[in-house]
């Protein structure tokens, strides 16, 4: 993996563990020579991630919609900043530029990015690993929800391994490196669905 899209929040929560996680993620990826592709913001976890990666000598590519640049939340010190027209174009750029996806804590936008990456993997629009760093148990409920989707039958057995979760970055990256794509829905017969 040479480039990873990192999804995370633009907020700064009161609990310092979340900012520390973003900083550690940025440093770890830079130290491993992995380019960070992220939402291009300078605030919250996004800014902490980018600043830490840059400080560690890493390459950071931001992808941000023009409307957010106008709000002056764009990070101007990145290796590259791509300005796009829409959120859809932003997510397509994340997929095009990256070899996989890592999700850190965040809000609605972060969840949107995660679910789209998973949905596209399930459908077969990409065959890249989708990782989830479960900092301080932040994603425990989401992981339980994914298990419930599988138990009820809304998540096919062959797609249960698409979400790769860990509470440690080194372990998460190792699991992502070992990822084997599942049979995509577009490769299945109607009787298998």
């Amino acid at each position: 993996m040479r480039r990873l899209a990192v999804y995370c929040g633009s907020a700064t929560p009161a609990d310092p563990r979340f900012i520390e996680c973003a900083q550690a993620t940025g440093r770890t990826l830079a130290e491993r020579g992995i380019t960070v592709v992220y939402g291009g913001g300078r605030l919250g976890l996004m800014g902490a991630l980018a600043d830490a990666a840059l400080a560690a000598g890493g390459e950071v590519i931001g992808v941000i919609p023009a409307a957010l640049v106008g709000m002056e939340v764009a990070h101007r010190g990145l290796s590259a900043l791509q300005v796009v027209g829409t959120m859809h174009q932003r997510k397509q750029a994340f997929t095009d530029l990256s070899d996989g996806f890592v999700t850190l804590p965040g809000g609605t936008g972060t969840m949107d990015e995660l679910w789209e990456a998973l949905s596209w993997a399930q459908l077969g629009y990409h065959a890249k690993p989708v990782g989830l760093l479960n900092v301080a148990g932040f994603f425990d409920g989401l992981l339980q929800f994914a298990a419930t989707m599988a138990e009820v039958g809304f998540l096919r057995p062959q797609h249960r391994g698409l979400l790769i979760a860990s509470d440690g970055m080194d372990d998460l990256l190792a699991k992502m490196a070992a990822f084997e794509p599942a049979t995509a829905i577009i490769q299945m017969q109607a009787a298998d669905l």
Side-chain angles (χ1 to χ4, degrees):
M1 295 181 293
R2 297 179 306 111
R3 290 180 172 175
L4 287 177
V6 181
Y7 302 141
C8 59
S10 61
T12 303
D15 187 334
R17 293 180 293 181
F18 297 114
I19 291 291
E20 290 165 3
C21 166
Q23 292 167 332
T25 298
R27 274 192 307 275
T28 298
L29 295 178
E31 289 166 358
R32 291 179 179 226
I34 299 172
T35 297
V36 172
V37 179
Y38 85 116
R42 63 176 176 80
L43 305 175
L45 272 69
M46 294 174 91
L49 167 81
D51 289 342
L54 291 165
E59 182 181 9
V60 180
I61 301 169
V63 183
I64 191 167
L68 295 178
V69 173
M71 294 175 56
E72 303 202 9
V73 299
H75 194 305
R76 299 296 184 171
L78 304 176
S79 309
L81 181 65
Q82 293 186 13
V83 178
V84 296
T86 67
M87 293 296 283
H88 293 293
Q89 291 169 335
R90 179 194 222 182
K91 290 185 287 184
Q92 184 65 58
F94 287 149
T95 302
D96 294 343
L97 291 169
S98 302
D99 301 315
F101 311 89
V102 173
T103 303
L104 306 181
T108 305
T110 304
M111 294 302 95
D112 173 54
E113 292 161 343
L114 168 65
W115 288 112
E116 184 162 294
L118 283 170
S119 176
W120 286 14
Q122 181 176 283
L123 289 166
Y125 295 156
H126 72 74
K128 302 173 183 183
V130 180
L132 184 74
L133 189 59
N134 191 18
V135 180
F138 182 81
F139 290 115
D140 287 350
L142 186 142
L143 293 168
Q144 180 55 54
F145 177 64
T148 299
M149 286 191 301
E151 290 167 15
V152 171
F154 286 114
L155 185 58
R156 292 172 183 83
Q158 58 268 44
H159 299 139
R160 290 180 184 174
L162 289 177
L163 181 58
I164 303 164
S166 180
D167 59 2
M169 192 62 183
D170 290 334
D171 181 56
L172 181 62
L173 290 174
K175 288 178 178 178
M176 290 175 68
F179 172 73
E180 294 288 334
T183 302
I185 288 175
I186 60 175
Q187 298 168 328
M188 296 177 166
Q189 302 296 318
D192 299 326
L193 299 174

